[in-house]
Amino acid sequence: MQHPDPRHAIPGAIAPHITADVYQRAQTTGQPVVIVVNDTNPTGFPWQRVLIPFAIAGAVVAGGWGLVAALCWLMDVATHTATVVAGATGGPLGVGGIALKLFQSKK
C-alpha cells in the first residue's frame, strides 16, 4: 500500500496516529478502526472577544480623566503661585533684567 504524500495531504483529512499493530490487524481482518477525537471547542459565548476591547477603552477613559485632573491641578498650582508672587511684591517683578509691573500702585 502506498502512503499519501504529506505535502499534498488536505489538512483535516489526516487521522490521528494509529499504532502499527492496530492498523495491520484492521488490514488483515477487514475490521473498521474507530478513531475518537475529543473536541475541545468551548461552548457558549467567547467573552474574551468582548471584554478585551472594553478593558482597553476603560483604560483610555481612565487615563484621559487622569490627564484632565493633572492639568487642573497644574493650573491651580500656577494660579496660586502667581497670586503669592503678585502679593509679595508691591513693585515691579524682574527676572533677568526684564521687569514686569503687575499692579499699579494707588499712591
Side-chain angles (χ1 to χ4, degrees):
M1 180 176 174
Q2 187 178 15
H3 294 288
D5 187 9
R7 290 174 290 169
H8 300 296
I10 300 170
I14 301 173
H17 178 70
I18 303 171
T19 57
D21 59 339
V22 172
Y23 179 76
Q24 289 172 356
R25 187 173 351 124
Q27 287 293 322
T28 57
T29 63
Q31 184 180 8
V33 177
V34 178
I35 300 170
V36 178
V37 178
N38 293 327
D39 190 14
T40 59
N41 290 337
T43 59
F45 189 76
W47 287 103
Q48 185 178 10
R49 191 176 61 175
V50 174
L51 291 178
I52 290 177
F54 276 108
I56 293 171
V60 168
V61 168
W65 279 109
L67 182 63
V68 168
L71 288 174
C72 288
W73 175 79
L74 186 64
M75 294 300 287
D76 184 49
V77 169
T79 55
H80 282 292
T81 304
T83 304
V84 168
V85 168
T89 59
L93 179 67
V95 175
I98 299 173
L100 175 65
K101 182 129 182 154
L102 296 175
F103 299 105
Q104 276 190 326
S105 64
K106 302 230 179 197
K107 297 182 186 178

